[in-house]
Amino acid sequence: MLTFEASYTRLPEMLWSTCQPTPVKTPKLIAFNTELAVRLGGDEPPDEATLAGWFSGNQPPPGAEPVALAYAGHQFGNFVPQLGDGRAVLLGEVVDPQGQRVDVQLKGSGRTPYSRGGDGRAPLGPVLREYLVSEAMAAMGVPTTRAMAAVTTGERVVRQLAEPGAVLTRVAASHIRVGTFQFAALHQDHAALKALADHVIERHYPEVAGAKSPYLALFEAVLKRQARLVAKWMGVGFIHGVMNTDNMSIAGETLDYGPCAFMEQFDSQKAYSSVDTGKRYAFSNQPVIAQWNLARFAECLLPLLDGDQETRVEQATASLRRFNDTFDLAWARISADKLGLAEESEQAAQMMAALEAQMQQGRMDMTATFDALTQLARQPDDERRQALLVLTTTPEALAPWIDEWQHQQQASQSEERWQAMRHANPVIIPRNHRVQEVIDAAYDGDFAPFHKLLGAVVQPFEASTEARRLAAPASDSEQVLRTFCGT
């Protein structure tokens, strides 16, 4: 169905290990992303039993040569020198009809040389969460890994309790992380570090190959992608939950969803992850953490830069300082789109900051607020103004902001700007309680709610009756306050 290649295994063997998936008892297909497979150049998919065998790891697809990747990483600020794919194997790479190379990886496929005593398996819940959220993010225009398939294993995975097991097939621009560079740098293998950097330039950033200082240019290119990625996250209220350096893709995609969640009632310091007790990766901390992670990447690249050590540090530091300007520029553009203002609006970021203060003070749901704002922009009448005001506990404070926003918005009103606003403000996100409902039903053997929610979140800007129902904020009794990783 897909033609596999293996360019990564041409890198030094310290960066990977040959590793076969561990067969499972009775694989059964939950979902297969036919559209994605066809876009990658695949033919019409085979029957479900064959797909289940391929994407459980029982019989990997023809041409696949599975390997597990090595990397290190800072986890919640603490450096761990040996991590790696402890429950995943890279089946290989596929070059799509446009010439873009992507990885195809099994996640939850059994022990590897990097499992560190773990079972290498994944519970069903986190697999369903990643499938739903990654596909929703792609539909909202956020750079992300994609889900190609999900398979149940017929086996139990023991975490706090025994849970059904599953395997996710993930597609990524690559699985090279900041932690991959940390692993090479830690071993002080200059040849391996250079080979890795050259591979990344060739695969992801060919435009920097001819730069005067290509490795500094590589750093700056990665920095720009990461700054813009985090701005896009925050535009849809996404909270990653585990922004460790081993979860930061060099390609600039959202990687490793784990205990991720979407903001509901706005709180700039909101954190859902059960392991983020100190709120290191809270919503508004994400740009700061991205810059911190990039500083670790810069440290790895120092031996490849020109000049003496002092000059190298000065060069990298100067580049790192550009993160804030890059992020601010991206956020200003996102703010303008979300508020329906002119692209070059000088008031967009200020208006957004004022609205965020109102959302926090008035306990407003973020997605519902921007959806109501979009409807008001489309049809500015008393009914839609009231629909926005009922979302806050402090309507008397929000009303002046609406007046000022309407004055600014009407000055730039056009069909093009309204369409940009609509596509910056989803009607539906994978709300935490809806995802939990899906998981609970699946644990009882019912996957219909999963497919129903998936069908809605991959059309996030469609305001159907069903989408509106699934988009409704959680009641007090439905709220999910903690999300879990599943490792």
Side-chain angles (χ1 to χ4, degrees):
M1 186 180 70
L2 296 173
T3 302
F4 287 96
E5 298 182 5
S7 70
Y8 195 82
T9 56
R10 294 198 290 268
L11 291 171
E13 289 188 26
M14 66 176 291
L15 297 172
W16 55 274
S17 297
T18 300
C19 181
Q20 292 296 322
T22 304
V24 301
K25 186 178 179 181
T26 52
K28 186 175 180 181
L29 190 70
I30 303 168
F32 179 70
N33 195 334
T34 302
E35 182 181 354
L36 175 60
V38 170
R39 186 169 66 77
L40 295 179
D43 301 323
E44 191 66 25
D47 59 84
E48 288 194 5
T50 300
L51 290 172
W54 285 355
F55 296 119
S56 64
N58 277 16
Q59 186 179 4
E65 299 179 8
V67 297
L69 309 186
Y71 47 86
H74 277 89
Q75 299 194 318
F76 294 89
N78 299 307
F79 185 65
V80 182
Q82 176 71 66
L83 292 169
D85 288 335
R87 56 174 182 154
V89 294
L90 176 66
L91 293 177
E93 303 150 13
V94 173
V95 179
D96 70 18
Q98 289 72 46
Q100 297 297 310
R101 182 179 297 271
V102 298
D103 285 357
V104 181
Q105 182 200 65
L106 298 182
K107 187 174 180 180
S109 53
R111 289 189 175 93
T112 78
Y114 312 113
S115 293
R116 298 184 295 161
D119 60 12
R121 293 303 188 188
L124 176 59
V127 166
L128 296 181
R129 179 184 295 276
E130 180 157 351
Y131 200 114
L132 284 165
V133 178
S134 63
E135 287 306 291
M137 292 279 272
M140 288 187 282
V142 181
T144 177
T145 60
R146 300 290 303 278
M148 179 177 283
V151 176
T152 55
T153 63
E155 300 174 350
R156 309 294 283 182
V157 174
V158 178
R159 294 299 181 259
Q160 291 181 322
L161 300 171
E163 305 176 47
V167 179
L168 176 76
T169 302
R170 181 165 70 184
V171 174
S174 78
H175 286 85
I176 302 169
R177 312 146 189 264
V178 169
T180 313
F181 279 85
Q182 289 181 294
F183 185 81
L186 175 69
H187 287 78
Q188 298 183 340
D189 188 326
H190 189 274
L193 182 64
K194 184 178 184 301
L196 178 61
D198 289 341
H199 176 83
V200 168
I201 289 172
E202 180 182 4
R203 183 164 178 177
H204 297 303
Y205 302 95
E207 69 277 8
V208 310
K212 182 179 179 181
S213 180
Y215 304 113
L216 183 63
L218 169 63
F219 174 68
E220 292 172 346
V222 173
L223 180 146
K224 287 177 182 177
R225 283 196 192 177
Q226 286 295 335
R228 292 165 183 163
L229 174 64
V230 174
K232 283 182 174 288
W233 285 359
M234 296 179 72
V236 294
F238 179 75
I239 305 171
H240 188 283
V242 277
M243 285 181 68
N244 300 325
T245 57
D246 56 292
N247 292 335
M248 190 175 200
S249 164
I250 292 298
E253 292 184 326
T254 313
L255 176 70
D256 283 340
Y257 281 89
C260 66
F262 285 87
M263 178 87 77
E264 298 201 19
Q265 182 179 304
F266 188 87
D267 177 356
S268 64
Q269 278 296 297
K270 188 66 178 177
Y272 288 94
S273 171
S274 62
V275 291
D276 191 10
T277 54
K279 295 192 174 185
R280 176 182 173 87
Y281 302 139
F283 178 74
S284 63
N285 292 354
Q286 292 178 121
V288 175
I289 292 298
Q291 188 180 34
W292 191 91
N293 288 348
L294 286 162
R296 309 289 76 77
F297 180 43
E299 291 167 353
C300 298
L301 293 178
L302 287 179
L304 303 180
L305 302 186
D306 299 326
D308 58 24
Q309 181 69 4
E310 184 178 352
T311 300
R312 295 170 181 176
V313 171
E314 288 175 354
Q315 290 174 339
T317 301
S319 296
L320 185 64
R321 286 178 178 147
R322 298 191 186 106
F323 178 91
N324 289 335
D325 288 343
T326 305
F327 176 83
D328 289 346
L329 186 63
W331 183 242
R333 175 60 189 271
I334 289 170
S335 297
D337 287 347
K338 290 185 73 65
L339 296 175
L341 303 181
E343 295 178 43
E344 67 280 3
S345 170
E346 296 180 359
Q347 290 78 33
Q350 182 179 351
M351 290 291 294
M352 178 64 80
L355 179 57
E356 287 181 339
Q358 287 294 328
M359 287 194 292
Q360 181 135 353
Q361 177 185 346
R363 301 169 59 83
M364 299 176 74
D365 181 272
M366 181 176 178
T367 301
T369 295
F370 283 104
D371 181 36
L373 201 65
T374 304
Q375 295 182 65
L376 180 58
R378 187 60 156 179
Q379 192 168 340
D381 57 26
D382 289 342
E383 180 183 351
R384 284 162 180 76
R385 180 185 175 95
Q386 188 59 31
L388 178 57
L389 286 170
V390 298
L391 297 176
T392 179
T393 59
T394 56
E396 70 287 346
L398 181 62
W401 183 92
I402 296 175
D403 294 338
E404 174 60 22
W405 166 75
Q406 287 188 307
H407 173 73
Q408 296 285 347
Q409 194 267 332
Q410 287 169 2
S412 57
Q413 197 170 34
S414 69
E415 180 63 22
E416 179 184 2
R417 291 312 296 153
W418 186 84
Q419 289 293 342
M421 186 181 188
R422 176 72 283 173
H423 285 86
N425 296 324
V427 172
I428 183 171
I429 55 171
R431 289 188 179 273
N432 306 324
H433 70 294
R434 295 298 185 196
V435 174
Q436 192 59 51
E437 286 174 357
V438 162
I439 292 171
D440 291 344
Y443 277 33
D444 290 333
D446 182 6
F447 289 94
F450 165 78
H451 290 288
K452 182 174 288 187
L453 183 58
L454 178 63
V457 299
V458 297
Q459 301 182 75
F461 311 112
E462 298 296 323
S464 66
T465 301
E466 182 64 7
R468 290 270 178 222
R469 183 186 72 81
L470 293 171
S475 66
D476 289 343
S477 63
E478 293 173 323
Q479 287 190 17
V480 174
L481 302 177
R482 290 287 179 269
T483 50
F484 300 88
C485 198
T487 54

